[in-house]
Amino acid sequence: MIKPFKLILPLLLLLGQLQYAGAQDATNTRIQKSFVKYYNKKQYQKIHSLFTDQFKRVMDQEQLDYFMEFVLHYEHGRIKSSRYDRMDHGFRVYLVEFEKGTAEMHLANEKNLIAGFAVKPVSKGPVINQHPSFKSSNPMISVEDSMCDKAVQAFLKRNNAVGLSIGILCKGKTYVYGYGETYKGNATVPDEHTIFDLGSVSKTFTGILLAIAVEQKLVKPDDDIRKFLSGDYPNLEYKGAPVTLLSLVNHTSGLPRVPDDLVQQPGYKEEDPYKYYSREMILANLHQIKLAAKPGTINEYSNYGISVCGIILEQLFKKTYAQLVEEYIAAPAGMQQTFVNIPDSLRHRMVGCYDEDNKAIADWSLGEMAAAGGVSSTVADMLTFLRNNMEEKSSALKLSHIPTFKMSQQQQVGYAWVTSELQNGQHLVWHNGATYGSTAFCGYIPETGTGVVILNNTGTSVDPLAIDILKTMR
């Protein structure tokens, strides 16, 4: 994900038959403290054991593992503190301070067990689906059509959305569906050629480009990045261990999530935070980095690190990042609708962008940080991209998937791609993305040959929908 914390927590609101909980008491305190303790220790089975039987049927262990590990822990870190705030429609609401921001946690208690919970941004009201009757291109003919539609309808009941473009690879067949509108109110359903922002799914492109450079023997994964930077950077090492190329793409470099002087760029606007952050600022700020640990030992998601990798790749190949994506990824695969800079002649295919409340907002301009989240594409092209990765059609693609750092018992990261072990022993290779006005998911299960791409033109996470589809289709 490339979005700042305050807008990226997806809503997960799953209700059983709730009893209204009264004032704070010992039982509620015990449940809340147990939830936090087990979350921080990543003991998700113990959290699931706190659910009512009905809630367990709504949210199984695999879904819980995914949400806890890949949405909360991966993006927001451990819980530092949690305090009771208020009651809201039968839920006890706690203000939770994560390592990377603050959110509300809603817990419902039934007979001393958890009957429902939600995690959502502070100062956001309850999600109300503003478009209960989405238009769709789903023909509702096959069993797969019905399964996808069921998952989408469940998603729409608890999330705001404007337009979705969904591509599925399952048992050798391809399915493409559009839901909603390209612009709110225009009644035009997104199709396979509608262009969306990919957000941090772009990082997989950058990882693949680095893998290509390794395959071509232009670099080695453990090369010190200072070999490719002009100037003196004695600070980019810790006790003699340098920041390496691999550490940039597996998020173990020690570089922060975003540069600490991001808001100091000329013309900075929160709604378009990267637009004017120049290459000169990216490189100058590197002088201010103070590493707290040996690179390659601690995983901390870093848009900054991926952006530095993009700059180094440009210097290696003597081409712009846009040219690299076109020449080494898009063109060889026949992806003619994938761009870093969308041509004016195709701007009419681009969707509008909306925040989590469906309010229209500006499309982001990633500028010199495009390697972290600046690629745009269509579901048709992304299905090609997904299929090529699933089939590992080149040695560079295969290399990009190989785990290079173990983040937890269930999750490893390669050249930006994340590999997660599922409850049944299968694996999910994936990446998601988000800007203020778009979200995306691209992932596949190699054991079943099932993959999904979801492109969305609102700030609402589509990760839960992707997992529902993958679980259903396989």
Side-chain angles (χ1 to χ4, degrees), residues 18 83 111 116 165 220 341 353 378 421 425:
L18 304 183
R83 66 176 177 83
K111 298 179 180 179
S165 194
K220 296 178 182 178
N341 302 305
C353 294
T378 66
E421 185 174 351

Side-chain angles (χ1 to χ4, degrees), residues 200-211:
S200 285
V201 174
S202 307
K203 290 179 173 66
T204 63
F205 287 68
T206 306
I208 291 167
L209 289 170
L210 179 59

Side-chain angles (χ1 to χ4, degrees), residues 332-403:
M335 297 164 58
Q336 299 180 0
Q337 303 168 102
T338 299
F339 315 98
V340 173
N341 302 305
I342 302 173
D344 289 341
S345 61
L346 294 178
R347 293 295 304 184
H348 66 282
R349 292 188 187 172
M350 182 72 186
V351 293
C353 294
Y354 302 86
D355 66 14
E356 290 173 319
D357 296 321
N358 287 6
K359 178 182 176 182
I361 58 175
D363 182 24
W364 271 16
S365 304
L366 269 292
E368 296 294 342
M369 297 188 73
V375 181
S376 300
S377 189
T378 66
V379 77
D381 269 13
M382 288 306 294
L383 279 171
T384 298
F385 179 74
L386 180 63
R387 184 181 296 106
N388 287 348
N389 277 275
M390 291 172 67
E391 297 176 1
E392 295 186 332
K393 288 194 171 181
S394 72
S395 56
L397 291 178
K398 183 175 183 178
L399 176 62
S400 73
H401 304 150
I402 297 174

Side-chain angles (χ1 to χ4, degrees), residues 275-346:
K275 184 174 184 178
Y276 301 113
Y277 196 75
S278 67
R279 176 182 299 239
E280 290 72 25
M281 293 185 74
I282 291 173
L283 296 175
N285 189 254
L286 278 179
H287 289 288
Q288 310 307 316
I289 299 298
K290 294 181 180 180
L291 300 180
K294 179 181 177 181
T297 61
I298 297 176
N299 178 267
E300 182 176 357
Y301 195 82
S302 178
N303 293 318
Y304 191 8
I306 294 287
S307 299
V308 172
C309 185
I311 290 174
I312 291 173
L313 288 168
E314 289 181 326
Q315 294 176 355
L316 282 172
F317 287 98
K318 302 188 185 311
K319 299 178 186 293
T320 66
Y321 183 74
Q323 290 171 332
L324 292 176
V325 169
E326 168 63 20
E327 182 173 335
Y328 288 97
I329 299 177
M335 297 164 58
Q336 299 180 0
Q337 303 168 102
T338 299
F339 315 98
V340 173
N341 302 305
I342 302 173
D344 289 341
S345 61
L346 294 178

Side-chain angles (χ1 to χ4, degrees), residues 250-294:
N250 70 10
H251 302 287
T252 62
S253 65
L255 272 64
R257 187 182 187 90
V258 297
D260 56 14
D261 62 347
L262 187 69
V263 299
Q264 298 171 22
Q265 64 183 281
Y268 172 80
K269 293 182 179 180
E270 185 178 8
E271 59 269 24
D272 198 358
Y274 299 98
K275 184 174 184 178
Y276 301 113
Y277 196 75
S278 67
R279 176 182 299 239
E280 290 72 25
M281 293 185 74
I282 291 173
L283 296 175
N285 189 254
L286 278 179
H287 289 288
Q288 310 307 316
I289 299 298
K290 294 181 180 180
L291 300 180
K294 179 181 177 181

Side-chain angles (χ1 to χ4, degrees), residues 6-284:
K6 66 177 184 176
L7 287 178
I8 59 179
L9 276 177
L11 180 69
L12 182 61
L13 186 55
L14 302 168
L15 298 175
Q17 297 296 319
L18 304 183
Q19 295 179 351
Y20 188 85
Q24 175 82 319
D25 56 31
T27 298
N28 288 312
T29 299
R30 176 184 61 80
I31 291 175
Q32 180 262 340
K33 288 185 175 180
S34 295
F35 189 103
V36 172
K37 180 179 72 173
Y38 296 149
Y39 169 80
N40 282 339
K41 291 184 176 181
K42 297 190 176 183
Q43 296 175 334
Y44 308 137
Q45 289 183 335
K46 290 187 176 181
I47 292 178
H48 201 249
S49 72
L50 298 176
F51 288 4
T52 63
D53 289 342
Q54 181 175 358
F55 192 36
K56 287 178 179 177
R57 290 192 292 270
V58 174
M59 185 181 203
D60 63 23
Q61 183 71 58
E62 186 176 315
Q63 290 172 312
L64 178 67
D65 288 350
Y66 174 84
F67 181 72
M68 292 294 174
E69 185 70 17
F70 314 143
V71 178
L72 291 186
H73 257 294
Y74 185 61
E75 290 294 336
H76 316 306
R78 291 165 51 85
I79 293 175
K80 297 169 62 177
S81 65
S82 174
R83 66 176 177 83
Y84 174 76
D85 183 62
R86 67 186 189 279
M87 291 298 302
D88 184 5
H89 296 89
F91 284 83
R92 305 190 68 80
V93 181
Y94 299 86
L95 291 180
V96 180
E97 183 182 353
F98 289 86
E99 290 177 311
K100 302 176 185 177
T102 304
E104 289 182 351
M105 180 169 69
H106 297 220
L107 284 176
N109 171 22
E110 178 186 314
K111 298 179 180 179
N112 301 329
L113 293 171
I114 296 173
F117 79 91
V119 181
K120 56 184 179 178
V122 171
S123 302
K124 293 285 184 180
V127 169
I128 301 173
N129 181 19
Q130 299 178 11
H131 298 282
S133 299
F134 261 43
K135 293 183 65 177
S136 173
S137 63
N138 189 331
M140 295 297 288
I141 296 174
S142 68
V143 173
E144 289 79 9
D145 296 343
S146 297
M147 288 192 295
C148 179
D149 188 72
K150 182 178 179 180
V152 172
Q153 296 306 325
F155 173 80
L156 294 175
K157 285 180 180 178
R158 59 179 185 258
N159 294 282
N160 278 333
V162 175
L164 298 165
S165 194
I166 301 170
I168 301 170
L169 299 176
C170 182
K171 299 176 183 177
K173 295 183 179 180
T174 301
Y175 305 89
V176 177
Y177 308 103
Y179 284 85
E181 302 169 307
T182 57
Y183 282 81
K184 192 163 66 172
N186 73 353
T188 300
V189 178
D191 63 20
E192 65 269 32
H193 302 301
T194 301
I195 300 173
F196 292 78
D197 291 331
L198 298 183
S200 285
V201 174
S202 307
K203 290 179 173 66
T204 63
F205 287 68
T206 306
I208 291 167
L209 289 170
L210 179 59
I212 290 171
V214 171
E215 289 290 292
Q216 293 185 2
K217 301 188 184 306
L218 297 177
V219 297
K220 296 178 182 178
D222 59 356
D223 276 344
D224 185 334
I225 67 170
R226 292 174 295 186
K227 291 174 58 177
F228 314 102
L229 300 174
S230 59
D232 190 23
Y233 293 90
N235 56 311
L236 294 183
E237 65 175 50
Y238 183 84
K239 295 183 179 180
V243 176
T244 66
L245 292 173
L246 180 60
S247 72
L248 294 177
V249 291
N250 70 10
H251 302 287
T252 62
S253 65
L255 272 64
R257 187 182 187 90
V258 297
D260 56 14
D261 62 347
L262 187 69
V263 299
Q264 298 171 22
Q265 64 183 281
Y268 172 80
K269 293 182 179 180
E270 185 178 8
E271 59 269 24
D272 198 358
Y274 299 98
K275 184 174 184 178
Y276 301 113
Y277 196 75
S278 67
R279 176 182 299 239
E280 290 72 25
M281 293 185 74
I282 291 173
L283 296 175

